Amino acid sequence: IMNYFPIFSFLRLPLIWKEFSKLGCATLYSEDYPSLNTFNYWRHGFQTPPTDVYHRPFWLAANQLYTQTKTMTKTEGCLLNKPTYTYQFDTAKSFLKIHRNKCTFSLVFHVEHGHTKDINQVSVLDSELASFLTQIHAEGLLKDKLLIFGGDHGNRFTWSRTSLGGRFEERMPFMAISLPEETRRSHPQWQENLENNKEKLISNFDLHLTIKKFLNQSQQAETPPQSHRSPISVLEPLPSNRTCSEAGVPEYYCVCIPETYLPIRSALVTRAAKTLTRRINNIISPFRNICDSHKLGKILEARRLQSETQRVRLVIETTHGAVYEGLLNSSGEQVIGDINRLDYAGETVACMERDWMQLFCHCRPEEVLDQDLFENEDSEQFK
């Protein structure tokens, strides 16, 4: 696990903004909350700035501001008496103004207000976000821009996430797409396809292809691919019966597969719960000097996927109060894919600096001796 995420240069990847740079377009990447950044969470980020305007140095400095200045106190979500997201709005607006009527690419990703234990926290952006969009539209800064507005996931850190509705909320985030006026006039079929596709299954792979298609709109339209797991631009007709497999969505994250409840006292579910608990303990085993072991407390929910795999979706709570969801094979003997933590860990993971391991670590009391940290796998919870 310690070497699970080796140093990797993202600059080697064909990131979409490189396609814009090749055409001489200015590029911007802004993401707040440095420890949870897309390219730094679990990874080592960029060794050199990946875009013309790279906002990370600003946020790193802002993150250090309060720790180095004893006379200042930090209010969550604020920086120097302003909401943190307003700095991103200002940067994006200035960037569009400077490059008015020119080709640009902007990725502005706000993290902080969407990653709290308060399911309503993100709503504090609503009025100012609406004002920001209204202003840049009124000033003509979007007249030649493809606007994609949405989230990468819904709320995933509160008890609402343990409900069926909460799982849908997490896996089906809001997404809106707006074509520029000129494109709607020159490609009316694109606008019609976009409206017809709004209730159909799409993935991030489709959005990536959509951006490429928009960038190269002078070229001949592509024929929608027929093979499985192939992306389709949302500017082309999407099939109404598309499956998660065809869209490239892993089974763990798919919300289109019917599921039936399993009795939580059954031998299958008990075995699956012990398998999931054992897997979590195996993940944190390299950090046994600071992380306490997990013991199975409750089985909260068990479902059988009505697919060819017949896999089992399980939600458990450990004796530390941590709530985990995992997907296991049909016999409950193997964890498949990601393990998701559903509760808000808070200070219980303060001892762990590795962001990814905070999902699994529960900091042990300092007075506990090392030899008492983990029970032998022959103990009752592993039988």
Side-chain angles (χ1 to χ4, degrees):
I1 294 297
M2 297 182 72
N3 297 317
Y4 194 75
F5 303 110
I7 295 177
F8 176 81
S9 175
F10 286 107
L11 293 174
R12 294 163 46 192
L13 298 178
L15 298 167
I16 190 67
W17 54 60
K18 290 184 178 181
E19 299 293 321
F20 287 79
S21 295
K22 290 177 183 177
L23 298 178
C25 308
T27 55
L28 160 70
Y29 170 37
S30 173
E31 186 171 0
D32 66 321
Y33 218 77
S35 64
L36 291 181
N37 278 190
T38 303
F39 299 97
N40 293 83
Y41 185 60
W42 307 5
R43 295 293 190 182
H44 300 275
F46 297 100
Q47 285 71 53
T48 58
T51 53
D52 297 318
V53 180
Y54 185 43
H55 217 185
R56 181 171 173 80
F58 170 86
W59 290 108
L60 286 172
N63 195 52
Q64 293 296 319
L65 184 62
Y66 296 95
T67 60
Q68 296 178 356
T69 309
K70 295 181 180 180
T71 58
M72 302 178 69
T73 57
K74 187 177 190 307
T75 300
E76 291 299 323
C78 292
L79 175 63
L80 298 178
N81 299 319
K82 286 179 58 178
T84 53
Y85 54 81
T86 60
Y87 292 91
Q88 291 183 287
F89 293 168
D90 293 343
T91 299
K93 186 175 180 180
S94 297
F95 179 77
L96 291 174
K97 281 186 173 181
I98 292 171
H99 301 285
R100 184 190 294 269
N101 299 324
K102 297 178 182 178
C103 171
T104 61
F105 173 90
S106 306
L107 174 58
V108 181
F109 193 1
H110 183 75
V111 175
E112 184 169 11
H113 286 81
H115 291 77
T116 71
K117 60 183 178 181
D118 183 357
I119 192 173
N120 298 310
Q121 181 68 29
V122 73
S123 66
V124 303
L125 280 75
D126 287 353
S127 60
E128 292 189 69
L129 177 57
S131 296
F132 167 71
L133 293 173
T134 301
Q135 289 172 11
I136 60 176
H137 179 268
E139 294 180 26
L141 300 177
L142 295 178
K143 66 179 183 180
D144 58 347
K145 299 292 186 285
L146 170 68
L147 176 64
I148 300 178
F149 172 64
D152 59 335
H153 58 76
N155 187 278
R156 62 190 341 178
F157 297 117
T158 68
W159 277 102
S160 67
R161 175 55 186 83
T162 61
S163 67
L164 182 60
R167 181 150 59 85
F168 275 79
E169 155 73 12
E170 182 204 27
R171 284 153 166 70
M172 302 288 282
F174 175 82
M175 181 64 62
I177 302 175
S178 175
L179 294 174
E181 293 180 8
E182 178 57 35
T183 302
R184 290 199 293 268
R185 287 193 294 268
S186 61
H187 295 75
Q189 190 62 47
W190 284 7
Q191 181 65 27
E192 182 179 343
N193 291 336
L194 191 60
E195 293 175 359
N196 291 335
N197 289 336
K198 64 183 180 180
E199 299 295 339
K200 297 177 181 178
L201 178 64
I202 67 170
S203 71
N204 295 332
F205 304 114
D206 302 324
L207 293 177
H208 183 273
L209 184 61
T210 301
I211 297 172
K212 293 187 67 174
K213 186 175 183 64
F214 176 79
L215 183 62
N216 303 303
Q217 57 187 284
S218 61
Q219 299 180 6
Q220 184 177 358
E222 304 173 6
T223 301
Q226 300 298 319
S227 61
H228 286 329
R229 301 185 184 216
S230 296
I232 303 175
S233 166
V234 298
L235 303 178
E236 298 293 336
L238 286 170
S240 57
N241 60 346
R242 196 181 192 197
T243 65
C244 286
S245 176
E246 293 167 343
V249 179
E251 194 169 46
Y252 175 78
Y253 293 100
C254 182
V255 298
C256 302
I257 301 174
E259 301 178 6
T260 56
Y261 282 104
L262 291 172
I264 60 175
R265 297 181 183 275
S266 68
L268 167 63
V269 173
T270 300
R271 179 167 60 249
K274 292 180 179 179
T275 299
L276 182 56
T277 305
R278 183 185 300 113
R279 175 58 183 153
I280 294 168
N281 281 329
N282 287 341
I283 290 174
I284 61 175
S285 62
F287 304 95
R288 65 180 64 196
N289 61 317
I290 58 175
C291 299
D292 204 357
S293 63
H294 287 281
K295 297 179 182 178
L296 179 61
K298 302 176 185 177
I299 300 173
L300 301 180
E301 183 179 273
R303 294 169 176 261
R304 171 83 75 182
L305 273 62
Q306 298 305 300
S307 63
E308 292 182 2
T309 64
Q310 291 288 292
R311 287 171 176 164
V312 176
R313 188 186 305 280
L314 191 67
V315 180
I316 65 170
E317 181 180 351
T318 71
T319 52
H320 290 310
V323 180
Y324 293 99
E325 180 185 79
L327 192 67
L328 296 95
N329 65 356
S330 59
S331 63
E333 298 174 335
Q334 180 183 358
V335 177
I336 307 296
D338 296 338
I339 299 174
N340 201 2
R341 183 163 184 173
L342 308 187
D343 66 306
Y344 186 76
E347 292 300 314
T348 64
V349 298
C351 64
M352 174 56 66
E353 294 182 356
R354 294 171 181 255
D355 297 317
W356 180 69
M357 291 303 302
Q358 289 179 351
L359 297 174
F360 306 102
C361 182
H362 182 92
C363 298
R364 69 180 184 87
E366 293 184 2
E367 66 271 13
V368 176
L369 299 177
D370 287 352
Q371 61 264 33
D372 294 330
L373 291 179
F374 281 71
E375 296 182 4
N376 187 278
E377 289 202 0
D378 292 331
S379 65
E380 184 64 30
Q381 70 163 316
F382 293 115
K383 291 182 179 179

